[in-house]
């Protein structure tokens, strides 16, 4: 928590989602317009409000009140893109701007007020500058803290220093912007921010939790965080203008090399590197071409030049894909070429490869695979990414070469065993499985997974996850198997995870049975039990066979399946 709140100036653009739709999509904001998300109104124009449309109404009810209502889908990306020029205009007059949300930005009021001769003068100057440069109407509020300044902006007020608690006292609890908490406070008889702020902080934390405690601080005029000002992004793009249109591949390659070196030098001057490269071209007839190349690692000057050359080659001569279709060539040569670095990060944040930062072997692999993607498409070259999951098949996801290798599910894919904790041997046949049949190799946890007492669990945990080591081969389709006991009877697993008898022999498909020399389990998994059509319940076992093979088995719906093979 921070101390005394900072004197804050907040600029607010009313009905910003509606204005963003007008700026980006040309929807006239002067007419009745409503922006919908999940079939409910999240913003509407002044004309729509005059006809009874309000936030929170369903689409049909809003259209019933205003038959001429223009409906626009909510698009946070559109709102953010349209708000960027407004933020840039504010940054021309004052530094240290924080974007609270699309349509609202805040900054410390001390600097602008000193420069422009007072807080009121600074507010008027910023409003006028935004109106002249962006043709956007806005309001400014000044108070102690971002929360109070936002409420003051809606009223166009400048709250005197030290007067923020008094300003907030008479406001309704709905100003907190927390519907669930507001409804509960209303039912408890707390109707204003002053009533809420008067409650003891300890009692509020005990009754409403951490989020309620944060709201309690805001109601008392104490922000829970300082301003998170943004740094204006440096203009890293490079552009080349050509008097003579480029319509030959060799000329395009020469232009690509010079422009790539300029981009690399500009990035290096800022201590940056990029993982994605945007290539933009404009032809003599005004045709605009754009493509983004992804790269898993450091884009050197040579790598940038190669990708620009490949893309220009594809645009000027076309490339034949699997379908045999050749894209249409531009109607004229290229007169403007622009390279835009994307995915920019600090150069020190890139981890060197096995052969150094830019090993020759790694660069050759990148060049070859990227070239294959340029011809056959991004999905033609994929790599595996490990993530969270309960079974080996769930932990693997294939992503196109060069894309960000982020796991689809949170959590570690596997956890190493504790020192001295027995587990399935890395090499089948080693005598590390329990000697007594039926004794699991890892102590069972409360959810069926291996117990991990004394260690921090991953966040979030995956109950029922297999213990390490992970299998070497995961079968795309499990193989049917049969497991028998010493008397030749099939081994079954009850609903209480009781094994009818120790497994002795295993037969996979039509192959001859093989003796089981060690086994561990069961590890139960009960997934999506709340959806009967998708529910799945199974118990998994690890077994070592007499021929040295180690397998992962699953008993499901009275059947035995081979899911994976250990190396």
């Amino acid at each position: 928590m921070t101390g005394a709140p900072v004197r804050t100036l907040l600029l607010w653009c009313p009905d910003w989602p509606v204005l963003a739709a007008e700026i980006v999509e040309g929807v006239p904001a002067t007419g009745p317009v409503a922006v919908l998300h999940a079939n409910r109104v999240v913003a509407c124009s002044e004309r729509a409000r005059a006809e009874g449309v309000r936030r929170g109404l369903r689409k049909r009810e809003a259209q019933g009140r205003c038959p001429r209502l223009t409906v626009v889908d909510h698009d946070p990306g559109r709102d953010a893109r349209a708000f960027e020029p407004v933020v840039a205009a504010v940054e021309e007059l004052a530094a240290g701007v924080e974007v609270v949300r699309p349509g609202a930005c805040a900054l410390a009021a001390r600097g602008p007020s000193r420069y422009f001769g007072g807080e009121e003068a600074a507010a008027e100057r910023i409003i006028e500058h935004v109106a002249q440069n962006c043709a956007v109407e806005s309001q400014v509020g000044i108070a102690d803290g971002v929360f109070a300044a936002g409420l003051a902006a809606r009223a166009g007020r400048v709250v005197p220093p030290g007067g923020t608690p008094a300003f907030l006292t008479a406001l309704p609890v709905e100003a907190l912007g927390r519907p669930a908490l507001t409804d509960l406070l209303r039912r408890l008889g707390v109707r204003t921010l002053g009533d809420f702020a008067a409650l003891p902080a300890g009692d509020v934390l005990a009754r409403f939790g951490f989020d309620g405690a944060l709201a309690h601080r805001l109601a008392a005029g104490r922000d829970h965080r300082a301003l998170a000002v943004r740094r204006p992004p440096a203009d890293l793009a490079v552009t080349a203008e050509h008097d003579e249109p480029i319509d030959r591949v060799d000329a395009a390659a020469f232009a690509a090399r010079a422009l790539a070196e300029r981009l690399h030098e500009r990035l290096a001057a800022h201590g940056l590197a990029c993982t994605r490269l945007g290539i933009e071209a404009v032809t003599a007839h005004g045709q605009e071409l754009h493509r983004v190349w992804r790269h898993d690692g450091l884009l050197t000057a040579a790598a940038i030049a190669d990708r620009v050359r490949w893309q220009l080659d594809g645009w000027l001569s076309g490339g034949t894909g699997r379908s045999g279709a050749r894209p249409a060539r531009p109607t004229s040569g290229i007169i403007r070429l622009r390279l835009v670095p994307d995915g920019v990060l600090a150069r020190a944040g890139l981890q060197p490869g096995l052969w150094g930062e830019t090993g020759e072997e790694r660069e050759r692999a990148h060049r070859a695979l990227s070239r294959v993607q340029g011809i056959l498409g991004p999905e033609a070259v994929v790599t595996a990414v490990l993530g969270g999951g309960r079974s080996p098949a769930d932990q693997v996801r294939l992503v196109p070469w060069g894309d960000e290798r982020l796991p689809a599910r949170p959590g570690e894919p596997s956890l190493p065993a504790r020192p001295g904790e027995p587990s399935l041997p890395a090499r089948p046949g080693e005598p590390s499985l329990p000697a007594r049949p039926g004794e699991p190799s890892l102590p069972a946890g409360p959810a069926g997974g291996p117990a991990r007492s004394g260690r921090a669990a991953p966040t979030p945990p995956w109950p029922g996850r297999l213990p390490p080591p992970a299998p070497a081969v995961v079968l795309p389709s499990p193989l049917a198997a049969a497991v028998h006991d010493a008397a030749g009877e099939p081994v079954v697993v009850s609903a209480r995870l009781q094994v009818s008898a120790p497994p002795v022999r295993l037969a996979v498909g039509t192959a001859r049975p093989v003796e089981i020399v060690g086994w561990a389990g069961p590890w139960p998994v009960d997934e999506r039990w709340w959806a009967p059509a998708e529910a799945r319940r199974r118990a998994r076992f690890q077994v070592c066979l007499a021929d040295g093979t180690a397998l992962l088995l699953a008993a499901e719906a009275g059947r035995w399946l081979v899911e994976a093979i250990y190396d």
Side-chain angles (χ1 to χ4, degrees), residues 126 132 258 274 352 433 465-466 515:
I126 291 176
Q132 291 177 351
C274 68
L433 287 172
R465 183 176 56 186
L466 281 174
E515 182 182 358

Side-chain angles (χ1 to χ4, degrees), residues 91-332:
E91 286 178 337
E92 293 177 359
L93 301 179
V97 178
E98 174 192 352
V99 178
V100 180
R101 62 183 180 277
C105 60
L107 65 150
R110 181 179 181 182
S113 63
R114 286 186 172 184
Y115 185 80
F116 293 107
E119 294 179 342
E120 292 83 357
E124 293 177 0
R125 183 70 180 88
I126 291 176
I127 292 173
E128 180 182 0
H129 188 71
V130 170
Q132 291 177 351
N133 289 269
C134 306
V136 171
E137 294 184 0
S138 59
Q139 297 180 193
V140 166
I142 302 178
D144 299 334
V146 178
F147 173 71
L151 298 179
R154 294 180 177 273
R157 290 186 55 182
V158 176
V159 181
T164 297
F167 166 70
L168 297 175
T169 297
L171 297 180
V173 291
E174 285 79 7
L176 292 171
R178 292 167 166 83
L181 177 62
T182 298
D183 181 67
L184 181 56
L185 292 175
R186 282 281 184 181
R187 287 188 280 114
L188 293 175
V190 180
R191 302 185 179 278
T192 65
L193 295 183
D195 296 338
F196 188 38
L199 298 176
D203 295 343
V204 171
L205 177 62
R207 178 62 179 85
F208 303 106
F210 183 70
D211 186 68
L214 293 181
H216 182 257
R217 287 183 59 89
L218 296 178
R222 303 190 303 271
D223 275 5
H224 62 278
R225 64 172 181 85
L227 278 171
V229 300
R230 76 166 198 165
R231 293 181 57 187
D235 186 10
L236 302 175
V238 295
T239 306
E241 303 281 351
H242 302 279
D243 296 334
E244 294 293 333
I246 299 176
D247 54 4
R248 300 197 321 272
V249 176
D250 56 347
F254 180 79
R257 174 69 61 179
L259 199 58
E261 292 178 354
R262 285 177 51 193
L263 176 60
H264 188 264
E265 291 175 358
R266 180 168 296 187
L267 290 173
H270 289 82
L272 302 174
C274 68
T275 58
R276 295 188 297 272
L277 175 67
I279 305 175
E280 302 176 358
V282 179
T283 67
H285 291 171
Q287 184 179 2
E288 296 183 359
L289 307 173
H290 178 74
R291 191 64 55 118
V292 176
W293 284 77
R294 296 178 181 268
H295 183 72
D296 184 16
L298 176 66
L299 272 172
T300 62
I304 295 173
D306 287 339
R307 281 149 183 80
V308 178
R309 176 170 54 85
W310 295 338
Q311 190 57 60
L312 294 178
D313 186 6
W315 281 336
L316 295 177
S317 62
T320 305
R322 290 182 176 178
S323 62
R326 184 178 295 273
R329 292 186 54 184
T331 57
S332 61

Side-chain angles (χ1 to χ4, degrees), residues 453-517:
S453 59
R455 296 199 312 167
T459 304
W462 285 95
R465 183 176 56 186
L466 281 174
V473 178
V474 179
L475 302 176
S477 299
L479 301 177
V483 180
H484 297 87
D485 57 14
E489 296 295 329
V491 177
V492 296
V493 182
S494 68
R496 295 182 177 271
L497 300 176
Q498 296 294 325
V499 183
S500 61
V504 175
R505 286 182 295 275
L506 169 69
V508 180
T510 58
R512 296 181 57 184
V514 181
E515 182 182 358
I516 298 175
V517 297

